[in-house]
Amino acid sequence: MDRPTGLRPTVAVLGVGPGDAPSEIGAAAELAELRFTSDRDELPSVLPGADVLFTWGPGNGWVAGGWGSVDRLRWIQSASDGVDRLLFPELVHSDVVVTNARGVFEGPIAEWVLGAILAFETGLRTSILDTAAGTWNDERTRGSVAGRHLLVVGPGPIGRSTATLARAFGMSVSAVGRAARPDPVFGDVLGPDDLHDALAVADHVLNALPLAGGTERYFDADVFTAMRTGACFYNVGRGATVDQDALTDALERGQLGGAALDVFEDEPLPRAAPLWSLPNVIVSPHVCGDVDGWREAVVDIFVDNLSRFVRGAPLRNLVDTSAGFGVG
Amino acid sequence: MDRPTGLRPTVAVLGVGPGDAPSEIGAAAELAELRFTSDRDELPSVLPGADVLFTWGPGNGWVAGGWGSVDRLRWIQSASDGVDRLLFPELVHSDVVVTNARGVFEGPIAEWVLGAILAFETGLRTSILDTAAGTWNDERTRGSVAGRHLLVVGPGPIGRSTATLARAFGMSVSAVGRAARPDPVFGDVLGPDDLHDALAVADHVLNALPLAGGTERYFDADVFTAMRTGACFYNVGRGATVDQDALTDALERGQLGGAALDVFEDEPLPRAAPLWSLPNVIVSPHVCGDVDGWREAVVDIFVDNLSRFVRGAPLRNLVDTSAGFGVG
């Protein structure tokens, strides 16, 4: 990337109105001209002359359509971890650098996954529902988390954070990734050829796949059928990596013992979706990582990267745009 | 204890009928004569001649009333951790040794406490209830477990197991016990004089007190008022260590942000109790430690101790009957 040292770059903030941004954005205004828009129709006037985009929520999905108005763009900071809505071929093949929000969400998401595992195993999910119903049922026992096996599919930062917590409970952990490789957290990441063997011994299966590189409907009927009967499934990545009908069927058949889902093919999950009423399903409305202060934390990453950008230093949280997810 | 080497002791199993005992009890039948009863009216015929009692559930509460029929008793193995229902002055002042079920329940209970902390902080409790209602509400954020402070009141095996898990989430932990003392897990256990200062900085407060040594209604209005506004409270010990009206009031006032309760003054919790319908309360029917296989694990402890007893070796899981809880 050329050094813009001495220049005062122009940043288009997409998906957030100026009054809606956390006050921490003020530090960015000292380094750059900021143009906010929460209206995609304004892109033809906002994008020309922008050196940088800072894309929030729906704003990630606007860049492809506005690409014709881009003339001097060099860097896009996404406020999300997953950049599937942002990337498109022209961007991937361009020299524009993309960075994401790594560091903000993975710890909270890992907490949520452990919370869901514990809700199923310890009977807390039942107790929460029984409390609402006024039901005292002490004729039940519960599972143990200690000794269970967790399989992480998609061993990125979320999977690593989850694995570390799971081990503290005495769970064993394995991981399947794009290719077999050594990993500092998992020891060894297994390759795709080992998926079915790994599924057969897992009590809990975490889907932390990005939507990238052919992961669409990765969790299909064959994958669910390969799971141990009664295993629980967790999705914190993207809804499109799961064949939702196959998931529903696996739950209805009792192949799966439970599922905690934060993402869905269509969001909000349509009211008619069977997932709402199946036993042992937890529907979470794509908020599992939305920890108090996440917006401020994302702005802090952006401001830090912006200060690096203006002094020509390497940016944090680089995304491998050809792979479709964060580096490292 | 005198050595009964060479003798074949007689064991009265109280609170369990012979057909209801886990099959693991068969190993005990090779070492001793076993007399089972699930009927307290049979105590006058069961207790005379018994060297050992193995007390389950309600059977713990029968010993005091049957004490007049005891003639050669030397050891009582309880199937519980808490022995408050078992102990009474004549037993405490006798030479009868008491052992408990330490090792079976504390790990599962610690899992449950972490599950409850996570259910509150990560929004999973809300999602579980929203799933049942068919509600998609993504206009909410959640708390972080990392960085929160847990106070353990009653730093025995349950508290220690919970503290170890909590630290894995990046929580800080403190503990208040009967007296200030160094502790291998907590570093320092604080004494009773430090309780209010400790409460003032805790986000989550675990009551793991035994019902012993003056702990009745230890958690009273003053204690709840000393808590940080919005703190969450967990009770896994005994219901009688809490002034339940004061707890209810603290929840109604919003002094407490939530409570997860496995034990109550009266069990089952009466249907009219306000705790059933207060927001942010999880009622668990005294099952938080009842992990699959707990009965077999308790029998394994008994069989191991029985084999020690017949060869005159020291027993495991000794209870300090004058203090009212396990040693170490």
Side-chain angles (χ1 to χ4, degrees):
Chain A
M1 185 183 332
D2 293 339
R3 296 192 167 208
T5 312
L7 292 180
R8 185 172 167 81
T10 296
V11 177
V13 184
L14 306 186
V16 170
D20 300 328
S23 62
E24 285 75 3
I25 199 79
E30 296 181 5
L31 298 169
E33 300 297 324
L34 303 184
R35 303 172 178 171
F36 294 85
T37 182
S38 53
D39 179 356
R40 72 184 299 168
D41 292 340
E42 294 178 358
L43 293 187
S45 61
V46 166
L47 292 180
D51 304 282
V52 179
L53 303 183
F54 184 18
T55 56
W56 287 73
N60 285 284
W62 298 349
V63 180
W67 195 243
S69 303
V70 157
D71 53 3
R72 49 186 287 174
L73 182 66
R74 293 192 297 160
W75 164 42
I76 303 174
Q77 170 74 54
S78 172
S80 306
D81 267 359
V83 290
D84 47 280
R85 288 177 297 177
L86 175 60
L87 298 182
F88 51 97
E90 293 85 348
L91 172 56
V92 170
H93 294 115
S94 76
D95 293 330
V96 173
V97 170
V98 175
T99 58
N100 71 3
R102 190 160 72 249
V104 174
F105 299 108
E106 61 260 37
I109 291 173
E111 292 178 356
W112 185 93
V113 175
L114 263 294
I117 292 172
L118 289 159
F120 286 127
E121 291 282 12
T122 72
L124 271 163
R125 181 185 158 279
T126 300
S127 292
I128 289 166
L129 293 170
D130 279 357
T131 301
T135 299
W136 178 281
N137 170 18
D138 57 5
E139 297 297 314
R140 55 182 165 109
T141 57
R142 38 154 288 189
S144 168
V145 178
R148 301 290 196 204
H149 186 82
L150 170 68
L151 171 64
V152 174
V153 181
I158 291 170
R160 288 198 194 100
S161 294
T162 306
T164 302
L165 292 178
R167 287 207 185 102
F169 283 86
M171 300 184 82
S172 55
V173 179
S174 59
V176 170
R178 282 162 295 153
R181 63 178 190 271
D183 180 278
V185 169
F186 293 106
D188 287 300
V189 168
L190 304 170
D193 291 348
D194 291 319
L195 175 66
H196 282 222
D197 287 348
L199 289 168
V201 297
D203 303 293
H204 299 274
V205 178
L206 171 61
N207 174 11
L209 287 172
L211 181 56
T215 62
E216 196 164 351
R217 301 205 170 193
Y218 183 95
F219 281 85
D220 59 14
D222 284 350
V223 171
F224 288 119
T225 300
M227 288 187 193
R228 178 178 260 186
T229 300
C232 292
F233 176 69
Y234 306 84
N235 192 6
V236 297
R238 288 287 183 241
T241 63
V242 173
D243 178 338
Q244 200 163 291
D245 289 340
L247 168 61
T248 301
D249 180 62
L251 285 159
E252 285 175 339
R253 287 187 288 120
Q255 170 89 35
L256 293 185
L261 310 168
D262 190 58
V263 290
F264 304 88
E265 285 182 348
D266 293 319
E267 296 177 8
L269 181 65
R271 192 64 198 85
L275 288 174
W276 282 112
S277 47
L278 284 172
N280 294 328
V281 172
I282 302 174
V283 173
S284 174
H286 205 145
V287 295
C288 77
D290 289 354
V291 71
D292 298 330
W294 72 267
R295 290 161 53 90
E296 292 76 8
V298 164
V299 170
D300 286 345
I301 289 174
F302 168 64
V303 169
D304 179 54
N305 261 346
L306 183 63
S307 77
R308 291 162 184 255
F309 181 78
V310 297
R311 66 178 189 267
L315 301 184
R316 290 164 59 194
N317 288 5
L318 289 173
V319 169
D320 178 347
T321 56
S322 61
F325 45 82
V327 177
Chain B
M1 186 183 328
D2 292 339
R3 295 189 169 214
T5 311
L7 294 179
R8 185 172 166 83
T10 295
V11 177
V13 184
L14 307 185
V16 170
D20 300 330
S23 62
E24 285 75 4
I25 199 79
E30 298 180 5
L31 298 169
E33 300 296 325
L34 302 185
R35 303 172 177 170
F36 294 86
T37 181
S38 53
D39 179 355
R40 71 184 300 167
D41 293 340
E42 295 178 359
L43 293 186
S45 62
V46 167
L47 292 180
D51 304 283
V52 179
L53 303 182
F54 185 18
T55 55
W56 287 73
N60 286 284
W62 298 348
V63 181
W67 196 243
S69 304
V70 158
D71 53 4
R72 49 185 287 174
L73 182 66
R74 294 192 296 157
W75 164 43
I76 303 174
Q77 170 73 54
S78 173
S80 306
D81 267 359
V83 290
D84 47 279
R85 287 177 299 176
L86 175 60
L87 298 182
F88 51 96
E90 292 85 348
L91 172 56
V92 171
H93 294 117
S94 76
D95 292 330
V96 173
V97 171
V98 175
T99 57
N100 70 3
R102 190 161 69 251
V104 175
F105 299 108
E106 61 260 37
I109 292 174
E111 292 178 356
W112 185 91
V113 175
L114 263 293
I117 292 172
L118 289 160
F120 286 128
E121 291 282 11
T122 71
L124 270 162
R125 181 184 158 279
T126 300
S127 291
I128 289 166
L129 293 170
D130 280 357
T131 301
T135 299
W136 178 281
N137 170 19
D138 57 3
E139 297 295 315
R140 54 182 166 109
T141 57
R142 39 154 287 190
S144 168
V145 178
R148 301 291 195 202
H149 186 82
L150 170 68
L151 171 63
V152 174
V153 181
I158 291 170
R160 288 197 193 99
S161 294
T162 307
T164 301
L165 292 178
R167 286 206 185 102
F169 282 85
M171 299 183 82
S172 54
V173 180
S174 59
V176 170
R178 283 163 294 151
R181 63 178 189 272
D183 181 276
V185 170
F186 293 106
D188 287 302
V189 168
L190 304 171
D193 291 348
D194 290 320
L195 175 65
H196 282 222
D197 287 348
L199 289 168
V201 297
D203 303 293
H204 300 275
V205 178
L206 170 62
N207 174 11
L209 287 172
L211 181 57
T215 61
E216 198 163 351
R217 300 204 171 193
Y218 182 95
F219 281 85
D220 60 13
D222 284 350
V223 171
F224 289 118
T225 300
M227 289 186 193
R228 178 179 261 186
T229 301
C232 292
F233 176 69
Y234 306 83
N235 191 7
V236 296
R238 288 288 183 242
T241 64
V242 173
D243 178 339
Q244 200 163 292
D245 290 340
L247 168 61
T248 301
D249 180 61
L251 285 159
E252 285 175 339
R253 288 187 288 118
Q255 170 89 35
L256 293 185
L261 309 167
D262 190 58
V263 291
F264 303 89
E265 285 181 350
D266 294 318
E267 297 177 8
L269 181 66
R271 194 61 199 87
L275 287 174
W276 282 111
S277 46
L278 285 172
N280 294 328
V281 172
I282 302 173
V283 173
S284 174
H286 204 145
V287 296
C288 77
D290 289 354
V291 71
D292 297 330
W294 74 265
R295 290 161 52 90
E296 292 77 7
V298 165
V299 170
D300 286 345
I301 290 174
F302 169 64
V303 169
D304 179 55
N305 262 344
L306 182 62
S307 77
R308 291 163 184 256
F309 182 79
V310 297
R311 68 177 189 267
L315 302 184
R316 291 164 59 195
N317 288 3
L318 290 172
V319 169
D320 178 348
T321 57
S322 61
F325 45 84
V327 177

